[in-house]
Amino acid sequence: MKAEKADKRLATKPVISGSEAVIRSLIAEGVETIFGYPGGAIMPIYDALYDFQDQVHHILVRHEQGATHAAQGYARSSGKVGVAFATSGPGATNLVTGLADAYMDSTPMVCITGQVAASLLGTDAFQETDVIGITMPITKWNIQVTRAADVPGAIAKAFYIARSGRPGPVLVDITKNAQFEEFEYEHTPCTHIRSYQPVPQLSHDAVNAAAELINSAAKPFLLVGHGVLLSGAEKALLALAEKADIPMASTLLGLSAVPVDHPLYTGMLGMHGNYGPNVLTGECDVLIAVGMRFDDRVTGDVSTYANKAKVIHIEIDAAEINKIIKADVAIHADAKTALEALLEQVDPAKHADWIAEFRAADKKEYDKVQHRELYPEAGELKMAEVIRLISEKTNGAAVLVTDVGQHQMVASRYYRFKNPNTNITSGGMGTMGFSLPAAMGAKMGTPEKEVVAIIGDGCFQMTLQELGTIYQSKIGVKIVILNNNFLGMVRQWQQLFFDKRYSSTEMINPDFVQIAKGFFIPGKKITAREDIAAAIDEMLAHDGAYLLEVAVEKEDNVFPMVPAGAPIANIRLE
């Protein structure tokens, strides 16, 4: 039997099973790492994977949601397509949160699910779920494969769609009979799909119109979105900003596209962003938005947003143009292509007085908020001082993977990012439990980098089972839990807007260090300010995974803050 199988592999077009075709096609697409969890409907694919362990590395997660977040972290840190496996029924439905997260945040990911045999579809067979219907709104494309011969083409198309244009997640559902059937295998990469144009043709008229606006601007302002990172446009962006002396601010997902210490960088936009960028958006006369979608957390009340500005919107997805903010000049193009063309057309300029307005706003925020958060002289530990120390001790060069809530906003505000693609967080979905599995994937994607997960006590308990994956697969991620025994962001809103009626937000937590030790991961808990610096040093020096729990001020709030739905100029400093 083994000799017969070997003979088939030596054929010009080897006759192989659909399951083996899945693995071969993934290898042909450059896949080196897969995150997944086996089950009955995908068992043939796992059986085929057994013969290719020297070519592709499978990471056994502890929950299918963890597989998707790990694939996201892998994709965001490495720039490659993340891959996740799951079985049918509950295995497939457990992918939904990660797919939705990847869809919102434009992360390239291919999920492959097993399915019941084609003859059983629609019969409510054991562990049958309509995963195609469920995931259609949250994938860039999905397909159900019922014949082995269609496997290579489906996977090639999946990777092309996932990584091209505005990236996103794709799901391929493969019935069990298609996994067992044999056919003559050939994999041809997909390079074109009729009617699908992932890279728009650049309009030079639009570029010229944008350049005219920039050249005549007294107060231009650049908004840096995630699309800058996705297109690799960081150098072109900096060149444009420096040539025309334009201050820049970043969305949450755009963080790390610009070094925080760049003289033209003014901070983060949005609900918990910096004071200057939020207030002065209303004063700019030309707003250049690059690779961002004007999320409500950035705009606040859209009727008052940037009312004095002519808006230039550079965006690869036509659906995002004029969806929320009307563009005076729309450049429907890849961000790098558009910025490089624009760079040739803009004139050198100086806007010293305009930039000075941002510096004055910085001072106001530092005096009112940052000084007491970063350098407290007494009282309980603050989240900001912990992040400041981690930033200093990693020289701003670590890959920071944050969960969702107060700790996310504090980390985003105070970590001094130096290098691109080192900020990994859940933006559009705001998925609690994202960080731990995403950090695993980020470390697998960039093993040469220090990867630090910043997690709240509530978020950690949503996916802490992935400590088992970290131990089994020897993933050297550093885990920092900022523990305030509250669902902190919800509690902050309850304090400010619901008369301190703390409904279901206070938490009685377990011993996180003991839990880590149960997974054979060393750790330490810190409660005193004088111990924190040495504890961070110990964590970073440790060879392998390490958990550091830091007890922080229980009712610490994150400021500045724009109340939901309010104009961003109404940003509160206290």
Side-chain angles (χ1 to χ4, degrees), residues 37 52 71 118 139 146 218 225 228 233 271 318 321 330 354 367 401 411 430 450 526:
Y37 202 97
F52 292 88
T139 52
T146 58
V228 172
M271 180 174 282
I321 297 173
W354 171 228
D367 292 342
V401 188
E450 190 75 82
I526 298 299

Side-chain angles (χ1 to χ4, degrees), residues 21-210:
V22 170
I23 306 303
R24 285 198 179 201
S25 295
L26 292 176
I27 293 170
E29 293 291 342
V31 174
E32 298 173 340
T33 304
I34 298 167
F35 303 92
Y37 202 97
I42 199 171
M43 203 175 297
I45 291 175
Y46 271 88
D47 183 66
L49 179 64
Y50 188 87
D51 292 329
F52 292 88
Q53 295 177 72
D54 59 336
Q55 296 180 63
V56 63
H57 188 194
H58 180 270
I59 303 295
L60 175 62
V61 298
R62 296 305 186 261
H63 191 284
E64 292 89 352
Q65 181 181 345
T68 56
H69 293 328
Q72 286 178 272
Y74 180 89
R76 296 267 289 274
S77 68
S78 69
K80 302 175 183 177
V81 177
V83 178
F85 280 1
T87 194
S88 64
T93 58
N94 282 342
L95 302 179
V96 167
T97 297
L99 284 165
D101 196 288
Y103 187 72
M104 290 285 279
D105 288 352
S106 305
T107 302
M109 179 169 69
V110 170
C111 292
I112 294 175
T113 53
Q115 183 56 275
V116 301
S119 61
L120 294 175
L121 290 172
T123 68
D124 295 327
F126 177 66
Q127 290 193 334
E128 180 197 359
T129 301
D130 180 10
V131 67
I132 297 298
I134 291 169
T135 62
M136 190 172 292
I138 54 170
T139 52
K140 195 175 174 186
W141 180 67
N142 65 11
I143 187 172
Q144 187 170 78
V145 178
T146 58
R147 301 189 317 140
D150 295 333
V151 166
I155 290 179
K157 190 174 178 181
F159 274 82
Y160 176 64
I161 291 173
R163 63 164 67 105
S164 61
R166 179 179 182 176
V170 170
L171 182 135
V172 181
D173 190 46
I174 307 175
T175 60
K176 203 163 186 178
N177 63 289
Q179 297 175 46
F180 279 121
E181 289 169 4
E182 294 192 338
F183 72 108
E184 289 188 350
Y185 170 79
E186 182 178 25
H187 182 83
T188 303
C190 180
T191 58
H192 173 75
I193 299 171
R194 189 172 61 182
S195 80
Y196 173 57
Q197 295 180 310
V199 182
Q201 185 173 355
L202 180 66
S203 166
H204 291 284
D205 288 342
V207 171
N208 292 337

Side-chain angles (χ1 to χ4, degrees), residues 332-524:
H332 180 212
D334 170 76
K336 184 178 180 181
T337 302
L339 288 169
E340 287 177 344
L342 197 54
L343 178 62
E344 296 180 4
Q345 301 297 322
V346 299
D347 299 330
K350 290 295 178 184
H351 299 105
D353 292 343
W354 171 228
I355 293 167
E357 292 186 42
F358 286 93
R359 301 288 83 99
D362 291 346
K363 185 178 186 308
K364 184 173 182 179
E365 181 180 343
Y366 183 83
D367 292 342
K368 283 271 191 179
V369 178
Q370 294 181 2
H371 185 266
R372 70 168 185 264
E373 294 291 317
L374 292 169
Y375 303 100
E377 296 177 358
E380 297 175 271
L381 278 162
K382 289 186 171 287
M383 292 179 282
E385 65 179 309
V386 179
I387 299 300
R388 173 180 62 80
L389 285 167
I390 292 171
S391 183
E392 290 172 358
K393 292 178 180 295
T394 58
N395 198 31
V399 177
L400 204 71
V401 188
T402 53
D403 227 291
V404 172
Q406 286 183 318
H407 65 278
Q408 175 193 34
M409 294 295 100
V410 171
S412 300
R413 284 175 50 78
Y414 294 118
Y415 193 81
R416 306 285 292 174
F417 296 100
K418 287 191 175 180
N419 303 316
N421 296 308
T422 53
N423 167 58
I424 299 175
T425 195
S426 172
M429 274 288 284
T431 302
M432 291 179 67
F434 172 87
S435 179
L436 188 64
M440 299 185 324
K443 186 64 176 177
M444 296 298 298
T446 50
E448 74 283 0
K449 294 181 180 178
E450 190 75 82
V451 175
V452 181
I454 306 294
I455 314 179
D457 47 305
C459 293
F460 183 68
Q461 292 177 79
M462 289 197 168
T463 51
L464 64 79
Q465 70 272 8
E466 298 306 335
L467 291 174
T469 308
I470 289 169
Y471 172 66
Q472 180 173 342
S473 297
K474 297 179 174 57
I475 304 172
V477 65
K478 304 302 190 290
I479 305 156
V480 179
I481 300 174
L482 299 181
N483 183 4
N484 58 9
N485 292 104
F486 260 116
L487 297 176
M489 187 60 83
V490 182
R491 183 212 57 76
Q492 178 169 337
W493 282 51
Q494 288 174 335
Q495 175 185 336
L496 298 176
F497 308 116
F498 293 89
D499 299 322
K500 297 187 178 181
R501 292 160 60 90
Y502 295 154
S503 176
S504 302
T505 47
E506 189 166 9
M507 304 191 79
I508 298 175
N509 288 320
D511 187 330
F512 294 125
V513 175
Q514 281 299 112
I515 289 173
K517 287 181 179 177
F519 288 99
F520 308 101
I521 295 171
K524 180 176 286 189

Side-chain angles (χ1 to χ4, degrees), residues 233-295:
E234 301 91 347
K235 290 182 180 178
L237 177 87
L238 289 179
L240 176 68
E242 289 167 359
K243 183 177 181 180
D245 203 31
I246 306 174
M248 300 172 283
S250 172
T251 66
L252 176 64
L253 290 180
L255 288 172
S256 80
V258 178
V260 171
D261 59 0
H262 192 283
L264 290 172
Y265 184 70
T266 66
M268 185 173 74
L269 299 158
M271 180 174 282
H272 290 285
N274 293 100
Y275 182 72
N278 280 294
V279 170
L280 294 175
T281 296
E283 298 301 317
C284 71
D285 58 1
V286 173
L287 188 73
I288 309 125
V290 187
M292 53 90 75
R293 56 189 178 85
F294 291 108
D295 180 80

